[in-house]
């Protein structure tokens, strides 16, 4: 329990998303007063309603409804506002008067970012600038969610926060731009900021098409796990609860001000190992291989030594633990054993 969070007013911009809603729920348990600001347009309810339907359309709507229900049950206000609107966003934040702003709004998918650069810029950098511009006048504590994609290809098996930033593709480039913008606001306006860099996130209520989500959904639907490359590629898979712990520590600890932190599990594992864990929990699941995406950087372990030393960060979920929880959550959601009709049955 972080007693420093009790009574803190926290606004999470993009807070109805995967990371944001988990953070909001945990902060409330710590005694914080949390408000969520979200347009529900990016990988969320409005996007599903107006977008092209997929076989998992109804399932994903159900997952999003669960996010909203959990926020409501926890007493977290969900304020539907497009953060691209400078004046409306400023007015709303002025009404909330938060002590802390967490900026989680973004198109959180590298592939989609490369296919639609305009929308990615609009929902990532434009929303960020609007939020920063409100925070600067009050010198409000500002936490920016960046990404391990800022590093590009890892030059060493383990990288710390001083590794050169050489992103590949639109998503990583915009995250670097976002970091530079946050730091510049700190330089010019004395804004207290913290930047966090997650990696390969997974956990309940994600619909972002991350690799762990796709593996489990395919396994429960009787489909093969599709691995890009030979399966030896290593990622620092991070269970969402560990990231949330790190963000809460960054909010609570004054040592986080004007610092950048890797917030991951801190030990890369191969994609093939993760596929094998899913196969253990869903016997009979097949694996197939496909060509690797040339725009995905070659990554590995992110050192979390800095976060351990300054914040007391202590991730608890290796892939064996985290994916067991994740599979169990899907099993509870689907309500029956895996099979070819799992998602169609769950949607009814």
């Amino acid at each position: 329990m972080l007693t420093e969070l009790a009574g803190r007013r926290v606004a999470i911009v993009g807070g109805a998303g995967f990371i944001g809603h988990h953070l909001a729920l945990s902060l409330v348990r710590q005694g914080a007063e949390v408000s969520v600001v979200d347009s529900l347009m990016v990988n969320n309810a409005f996007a599903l309603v107006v977008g092209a339907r997929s076989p998992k359309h109804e399932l994903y709507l159900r997952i999003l409804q669960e996010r909203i229900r959990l926020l409501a049950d926890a007493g977290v206000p969900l304020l539907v506002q497009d953060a691209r609107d400078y004046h409306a966003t400023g007015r709303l934040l002025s009404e909330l008067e938060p002590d802390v702003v967490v900026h989680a709004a973004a198109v959180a998918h590298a592939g989609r970012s490369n296919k639609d650069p305009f929308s990615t810029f609009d929902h990532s950098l434009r929303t960020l600038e609007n939020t920063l511009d409100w925070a600067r006048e009050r010198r409000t504590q500002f936490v920016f969610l960046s990404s391990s994609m800022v590093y590009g290809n890892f030059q060493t098996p383990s990288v710390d926060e001083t590794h050169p930033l050489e992103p590949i593709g639109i998503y990583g480039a915009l995250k670097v731009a976002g970091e530079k913008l946050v730091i510049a606001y700190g330089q010019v306006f004395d804004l207290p900021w913290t930047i966090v860099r997650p990696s390969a996130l997974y956990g309940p209520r994600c619909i972002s098409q991350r690799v762990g989500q796709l593996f489990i959904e395919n396994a429960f639907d009787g489909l093969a796990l599709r691995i890009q490359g030979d399966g030896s590629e290593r990622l620092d898979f991070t269970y969402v609860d560990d990231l949330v712990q790190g963000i809460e520590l960054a909010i609570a600890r004054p040592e986080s001000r004007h610092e950048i932190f890797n917030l991951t599990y801190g030990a890369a594992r191969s994609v093939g190992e993760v596929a094998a864990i899913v196969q253990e929990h869903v016997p009979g699941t097949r694996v197939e291989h496909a060509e690797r995406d040339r725009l995905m950087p070659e990554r590995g372990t992110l050192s979390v030594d800095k976060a351990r030393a300054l914040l007391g960060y202590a991730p608890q979920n290796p892939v064996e633990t985290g994916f067991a929880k994740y599979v169990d959550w899907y099993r509870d959601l689907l309500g029956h054993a895996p099979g070819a009709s799992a998602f169609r049955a769950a949607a009814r």
Side-chain angles (χ1 to χ4, degrees):
M1 188 78 174
L2 289 171
T3 57
E4 302 96 324
L5 295 175
R8 298 289 294 278
R9 297 190 305 276
V10 183
I12 308 175
V13 179
F18 172 51
I19 298 171
H21 89 280
H22 276 283
L23 176 61
L25 295 171
S26 183
L27 283 169
V28 167
R29 291 192 290 270
Q30 304 277 3
E33 299 175 14
V34 184
S35 298
V36 161
V37 178
D38 202 299
S39 69
L40 303 181
M41 294 171 62
V42 178
N43 202 37
N44 216 302
F46 289 166
L48 283 185
V49 169
V50 303
R53 295 180 68 87
S54 75
K56 299 174 185 175
H57 183 90
E58 297 299 327
L59 176 72
Y60 290 173
L61 278 176
R62 180 177 163 189
I63 290 172
L64 294 176
Q65 288 166 355
E66 183 176 331
R67 287 187 196 171
I68 294 170
R69 178 185 60 77
L70 288 170
L71 290 172
D73 290 348
V76 178
L78 171 54
L79 306 165
V80 180
Q81 174 59 55
D82 189 343
R84 294 175 299 174
D85 186 325
Y86 177 87
H87 296 290
T89 300
R91 285 193 298 270
L92 180 55
L93 289 173
S94 293
E95 292 172 6
L96 297 173
E97 281 294 338
D99 304 311
V100 184
V101 172
V102 178
H103 189 88
V107 175
H109 191 282
R112 290 196 198 98
S113 299
N114 290 328
K115 292 175 183 176
D116 190 359
F118 173 80
S119 178
T120 304
F121 181 97
D122 217 24
H123 288 284
S124 300
L125 278 190
R126 194 175 307 283
T127 59
L128 175 61
E129 196 279 332
N130 290 348
T131 311
L132 281 167
D133 217 45
W134 179 86
R136 71 178 173 89
E137 295 184 3
R138 297 154 182 83
R139 294 180 181 172
T140 303
Q141 182 183 357
F142 197 95
V143 179
F144 175 58
L145 269 62
S146 184
S147 168
S148 64
M149 296 286 279
V150 298
Y151 296 121
N153 291 322
F154 286 17
Q155 297 178 7
T156 54
S158 177
V159 304
D160 65 17
E161 293 84 354
T162 66
H163 184 282
L165 305 184
E166 298 179 357
I168 300 171
I170 302 297
Y171 179 78
L174 286 175
K175 285 298 187 183
V176 172
E179 289 192 9
K180 298 298 184 184
L181 191 60
V182 170
I183 293 169
Y185 267 76
Q187 293 167 338
V188 176
F189 303 110
D190 197 26
L191 179 74
W193 55 265
T194 304
I195 293 168
V196 301
R197 294 171 177 164
S199 171
L201 283 171
Y202 66 98
R205 297 181 296 281
C206 180
I207 65 164
S208 300
Q209 304 288 293
R210 302 172 194 270
V211 62
Q213 174 199 344
L214 293 177
F215 276 3
I216 296 174
E217 289 182 357
N218 279 9
F220 273 87
D221 217 14
L223 303 174
L225 311 188
R226 189 175 177 82
I227 297 176
Q228 292 187 5
D230 63 6
S232 64
E233 183 169 356
R234 299 176 68 80
L235 298 172
D236 200 339
F237 289 96
T238 306
Y239 193 64
V240 66
D241 287 357
D242 288 332
L243 171 62
V244 165
Q245 177 215 146
I247 297 172
E248 289 179 335
L249 287 165
I251 293 171
R253 304 283 192 250
E255 293 85 354
S256 74
R257 308 303 184 265
H258 304 109
E259 297 287 355
I260 300 172
F261 296 99
N262 293 333
L263 291 182
T264 69
Y265 182 70
R269 302 288 291 273
S270 74
V271 176
E273 285 180 278
V274 169
I277 291 169
V278 174
Q279 287 178 300
E280 286 178 20
H281 289 276
V282 188
T285 300
R286 298 171 294 112
V287 169
E288 63 183 29
H289 295 267
E291 184 178 355
R292 189 182 184 280
D293 183 350
R294 66 179 181 82
L295 293 175
M296 289 300 294
E298 296 178 359
R299 293 176 284 170
T301 295
L302 281 75
S303 170
V304 295
D305 289 348
K306 181 179 177 181
R308 288 185 191 276
L310 292 185
L311 305 179
Y313 177 60
Q316 302 295 312
N317 294 278
V319 290
E320 289 82 4
T321 302
F323 273 95
K325 295 177 183 179
Y326 199 12
V327 170
D328 285 345
W329 176 80
Y330 263 108
R331 185 171 280 116
D332 290 342
L333 179 71
L334 298 174
H336 59 79
S341 62
F343 292 102
R344 289 188 291 277
R348 287 199 290 269

